Amino acid sequence: MADARVGSLLARLGCVAVGVVLLAGCSTLIGGKAADTLAAAILNQDDPELVSSGLPAYLLLLDGFISERPDSSALLSAGAQLFALYGSRFAPPERAAVLTAKARRYGERAICLVHEPACRWRRVDYATLVAELEVVGEKDIGPLYSYAVSWLSYLDATSEDWTAVAELPWVEAVLERALTLDESYENGALHGYLGILNSLRPPALGGKPDVARAHFERAIELSGGRDLSIKVEYARRYARLVFDQELHDRLLTEVINAPVEAPLFTLFNVLAKQEAQSLLATSKEYF
């Protein structure tokens, strides 16, 4: 997994995480409308460096909210996603494991509060996890999603550890359950993650490129094409895996030519464009 990192797609976590942080915590201080406006200002920002420098303040703020309200699944879910976002996308590599480990702990606490059997999921075998996921209901999809993506961010940060790599099927099972509950959650993010997981390995080693392609296509459809990171991951993961240069270059060219401005996606579209340009520049060398 070391050569197939998932951190770039984790940038999309900010869309829900920043909003929940502000609405669940800051709204009590500055009012719901003001919190909404501040969240939108961050997500519609076209300067990633500015956001990167400001995010640590939100992490400290969120830790404070959680210490005051340790039984708030919403705050813990936001913590899981925001620490995953910062650890996987903006933090120095030497800090990634520490930050994403905290994200994972918050994610585990969030799902444990709303679904008691989840409190022991770290200790159960795969078959037991899959069976217990069947009774998680749609009302708990938020904590379930946070649990999955925070776990995934930690596995990505510790990808040199083969124990971490071995846990990927567990994460995939959680994402599949969330997909069953609501495939449109977070504008197709679940399909995006499953597209990545199914394209981490070539078919000879158990990869499922056809399944990955279907997930990426559906993610694009559900996001209405506004989330440019999906096309970047589609090119990076699937097109390069199956050596489809035509698809690879078309997807990346579409990203480069697309406007970055899209409500709640602008920040991450700027990052996607940067990655698209880098990938396209190495296309001839790769293929």
Side-chain angles (χ1 to χ4, degrees), residues 33-50:
K33 185 175 181 179
D36 233 353
T37 301
L38 185 53
I42 293 171
L43 299 174
N44 293 328
Q45 174 61 245
D46 61 2
D47 184 352
E49 290 300 320
L50 178 61

Side-chain angles (χ1 to χ4, degrees), residues 4-70:
R5 301 184 66 77
V6 299
S8 55
L9 188 58
L10 287 167
R12 67 187 299 125
L13 293 176
C15 294
V16 63
V18 174
V20 172
V21 171
L22 293 169
L23 293 175
C26 298
S27 61
T28 61
L29 302 175
I30 62 177
K33 185 175 181 179
D36 233 353
T37 301
L38 185 53
I42 293 171
L43 299 174
N44 293 328
Q45 174 61 245
D46 61 2
D47 184 352
E49 290 300 320
L50 178 61
V51 174
S52 176
S53 64
L55 273 178
Y58 282 98
L59 300 181
L60 293 173
L61 183 65
L62 184 52
D63 272 343
F65 286 139
I66 290 174
S67 67
E68 291 293 321
R69 298 171 58 189

Side-chain angles (χ1 to χ4, degrees), residues 21-259:
V21 171
L22 293 169
L23 293 175
C26 298
S27 61
T28 61
L29 302 175
I30 62 177
K33 185 175 181 179
D36 233 353
T37 301
L38 185 53
I42 293 171
L43 299 174
N44 293 328
Q45 174 61 245
D46 61 2
D47 184 352
E49 290 300 320
L50 178 61
V51 174
S52 176
S53 64
L55 273 178
Y58 282 98
L59 300 181
L60 293 173
L61 183 65
L62 184 52
D63 272 343
F65 286 139
I66 290 174
S67 67
E68 291 293 321
R69 298 171 58 189
D71 295 329
S72 170
S73 179
L75 281 174
L76 287 165
S77 293
Q81 295 193 45
L82 203 58
F83 272 90
L85 165 65
Y86 187 72
S88 63
R89 185 65 194 185
F90 295 112
E94 63 273 15
R95 294 284 298 150
V98 173
L99 291 163
T100 56
K102 189 169 192 175
R104 183 179 181 182
R105 292 194 299 273
Y106 278 158
E108 289 174 335
R109 288 171 58 187
I111 190 63
C112 175
L113 283 170
V114 299
H115 186 70
E116 190 275 334
C119 300
R120 63 188 185 93
W121 278 353
R122 193 184 278 229
R123 302 186 300 276
V124 302
D125 59 28
Y126 178 78
T128 300
L129 173 67
V130 171
E132 293 187 354
L133 282 168
E134 290 299 313
V135 297
V136 177
E138 187 173 356
K139 66 181 179 63
D140 296 328
I141 191 172
L144 188 68
Y145 176 78
S146 298
Y147 172 67
V149 295
S150 61
W151 190 358
L152 189 58
S153 74
Y154 176 71
L155 296 185
D156 184 55
T158 58
S159 58
E160 299 299 330
D161 181 351
W162 284 103
T163 301
V165 176
E167 292 179 6
L168 284 174
W170 274 255
V171 182
E172 185 173 355
V174 177
L175 290 168
E176 288 282 5
R177 178 56 184 168
L179 188 78
T180 299
L181 294 173
D182 182 4
E183 69 160 348
S184 66
Y185 190 75
E186 279 301 290
N187 299 291
L190 293 165
H191 281 287
Y193 287 121
L194 287 167
I196 288 177
L197 290 179
N198 281 284
S199 56
L200 288 178
R201 297 167 294 176
L205 296 177
K208 301 175 182 177
D210 290 342
V211 173
R213 179 167 191 159
H215 279 302
F216 283 128
E217 291 284 355
R218 184 60 175 153
I220 292 171
E221 181 181 356
L222 289 171
S223 72
R226 295 178 301 150
D227 185 354
L228 301 182
S229 66
I230 294 293
K231 290 187 177 181
V232 171
E233 296 304 325
Y234 190 3
R236 187 205 317 266
R237 313 296 175 175
Y238 173 82
R240 290 200 170 202
L241 177 67
V242 301
F243 289 92
D244 188 337
Q245 185 177 12
E246 181 181 356
L247 174 65
H248 176 271
D249 291 358
R250 175 176 63 80
L251 288 167
L252 297 175
T253 300
E254 288 176 358
V255 170
I256 292 170
N257 292 334

